[in-house]
Each structure stands twice: as structure tokens, then as C-alpha cells.
Amino acid sequence: MDKIQEQEYLAFAREIMRRAGAIANRYFRRPIPIDSKAAGAGFDPVTAADREIEAFLRGEIAAKYPDHAILGEEQAERAGSSGWRWVIDPIDGTRAFISGSPLWGILLGLMQGDNCMLGLMYQPYLQETFYGSSAGAFLEKGQEIRPLATRATRDLDTATLYCTHPSMFADEQEYRRFMNVADRCRLMRYGGDCYAYCLLAGGYIDLVIEHVGGPYDIVPLIPIIEAAGGLVTDWQGNAAIAGGKILAAANQVVHEQALSILNA
């Protein structure tokens, strides 16, 4: 992807994200019906906001780039012929959204094959857009755009770790492996969803360790973190584009330390 094409895609993505944010804000902190996608006694919430935002983004992308594939959380994948694929999470952090917490966001990423080329996280209530590409990682808020850079923390003993919630770990062994890292860190906090990954890119925290549902939960965040100087892998150190067990780190040093503990 050349620079002109990258800027075209970024400009398009930032514009449709802004318009999608207006949809989200119409629903946020207002009464809204909530359905559950989980079978049985589980709770996996989805709202009209999730569905309307994804439908809007899909429609805009399909109209502008009809040969691009589209993968979203709430609808079936749309095939494409160009090798480009847009990845959508209409509201990452629906539990936060329905609880009135602003720590949720709209995620949009663009892949070429298995490569994450650019990604955006828009938090419309706070009016913050985090985005990353080969040109760097940035936070746009109002008229200000500032570059993002991860921290240079060298030891887990001084690191800050985030995780959305311990219930995301599949079993007791997986949770214990997470806690083995958490016990080494100076500070561990729950909450954040996609916003925690952007705090990592912004240089405020050092690690995010989670077990996420699918590509739409992580692909749009990878370019933001990597362009800011961080790393995102699975718990074996491999590519994280499929979702699953995620280790995001501010730099190679703390990544290696956390990885070794996760696999001890």
C-alpha cells in the first residue's frame, strides 16, 4: 500500500467512524433494549446500537469499495475479490456501554491478506480517535492531533497491567497463568476493553493480557499499538489476528518477560 492509498483509506475510515459515533451517542446512557447472544445461562449482550453501527459501516464500505471483503461481529462475512478486508467491531465493550461507562469504542481495521495495515478506535462520547498505520500512531481530539508512543518500562516489577475482566479466561489454569504475570506487576487493574489497548499505545500502561472473542476484537488495535512502538501477539508469541489469548506489551523487553511467565 503506497502512502497516497494509505491516506485515502485513513481519511475514509475517520469520516465514517465519526458518523458511526453519532449513532452510538444517540443510544448511550439512554434506555435501550438488550438482547443476549449467549445460549443457556450465559450473558453476551448486543443492542440496537451494535447492529445499527455495523450495518452503517458495512454499507459505507461496500458503496466505496465494492470489491473489499468485510468481517464484522454481528453479521456474516462479506466476500471480496481485491485482497483487502475491513474488520468491524461496532461497539467493543458492550457491557461498559450498557452500564454507562465511557470505556468502550468503535473499532475498524483494514487488512491486506494477513497483514494489519491500519486500525482505528473511536470513542465518540469522549470525542477521541486513536489510529495507527505505517505513518505512525496518533490521537485526534478536537483540533489536536498528537503522536502516540509506548513506554520504555524495563521490568515487570514497575509495570502496569490491564485486563477487561477475569471472566474472559476460559478455565482456572488460564486464569492462573494470567495471575502469575499480574502478581509480578506493580499495578493491575480490571476494565477498559479496547480503551486499555489505546492507553498502552499512549504510554500510560505497559501490558494488556486477555482472551478475546475473534479478529474484530483485536485486529483494529494491532496497527495502533505497533505504530506506537508496542507488540501484540498470542500467548505463544505468534500473530494475534485470529483473536483468542492476547498479550499486548509496550516494548520487547516487558513482552518477553510476560511471555516467559505465561508459558512457565
Side-chain angles (χ1 to χ4, degrees):
M1 179 166 60
D2 61 36
K3 298 298 182 182
I4 294 175
Q5 188 179 38
E6 178 178 274
Q7 289 305 308
E8 174 195 320
Y9 287 148
L10 268 175
F12 168 73
R14 287 161 66 191
E15 170 60 20
I16 63 172
M17 290 284 269
R18 182 188 63 78
R19 293 163 61 196
I23 298 171
N25 281 340
R26 282 199 280 105
Y27 289 99
F28 185 53
R29 293 184 176 174
R30 291 174 171 83
I32 182 172
I34 302 166
D35 299 321
S36 178
K37 296 182 286 185
F43 181 58
D44 185 8
V46 62
T47 71
D50 297 85
R51 297 185 178 107
E52 187 174 339
I53 290 167
E54 181 164 328
F56 167 77
L57 291 173
R58 282 174 173 268
E60 293 297 309
I61 294 166
K64 180 76 171 179
Y65 303 111
D67 59 347
H68 287 200
I70 304 172
L71 173 65
E73 183 172 11
E74 307 304 336
Q75 298 182 32
E77 183 168 4
R78 176 184 186 270
S81 59
S82 66
W84 294 97
R85 180 169 67 162
W86 294 86
V87 181
I88 302 167
D89 191 341
I91 296 181
D92 184 88
T94 301
R95 290 171 176 83
F97 183 88
I98 63 177
S99 302
S101 167
L103 298 184
W104 52 272
I106 303 170
L107 299 182
L108 181 62
L110 179 61
M111 302 182 72
Q112 186 176 40
D114 289 335
N115 298 311
C116 304
M117 305 303 293
L118 58 88
L120 304 92
M121 192 287 280
Y122 181 39
Q123 211 311 316
Y125 189 74
L126 300 177
Q127 294 291 295
E128 293 179 340
T129 304
F130 294 82
Y131 60 96
S133 69
S134 67
F138 302 90
L139 167 60
E140 180 178 8
K141 187 176 177 69
Q143 299 302 309
E144 179 186 10
I145 299 177
R146 65 176 182 84
L148 302 175
T150 57
R151 291 210 285 204
T153 302
R154 312 303 291 177
D155 197 291
L156 290 182
D157 292 340
T158 59
T160 298
L161 164 66
Y162 260 69
C163 172
T164 297
H165 196 271
S167 64
M168 62 174 31
F169 297 112
D171 53 43
E172 180 60 32
Q173 182 182 35
E174 193 173 283
Y175 174 67
R176 176 45 49 192
R177 291 167 68 189
F178 162 77
M179 285 304 302
N180 288 340
V181 181
D183 289 343
R184 275 283 310 275
C185 293
R186 180 169 65 183
L187 178 63
M188 192 273 285
R189 302 293 296 170
Y190 288 124
D193 291 287
C194 58
Y195 202 87
Y197 293 88
C198 294
L199 291 176
L200 181 110
Y204 299 104
I205 67 174
D206 304 288
L207 293 164
V208 181
I209 301 178
E210 300 193 317
H211 192 154
V212 302
Y216 34 77
D217 292 307
I218 193 63
V219 163
L221 297 164
I222 291 173
I224 303 172
I225 294 169
E226 291 185 343
L231 294 84
V232 186
T233 70
D234 67 12
W235 287 16
Q236 284 70 51
N238 301 316
I241 58 173
K245 292 180 284 190
I246 302 297
L247 169 60
N251 57 68
Q252 185 72 43
V253 174
V254 292
H255 181 273
E256 290 178 356
Q257 291 176 20
L259 196 66
S260 67
I261 296 172
L262 286 171
N263 290 284

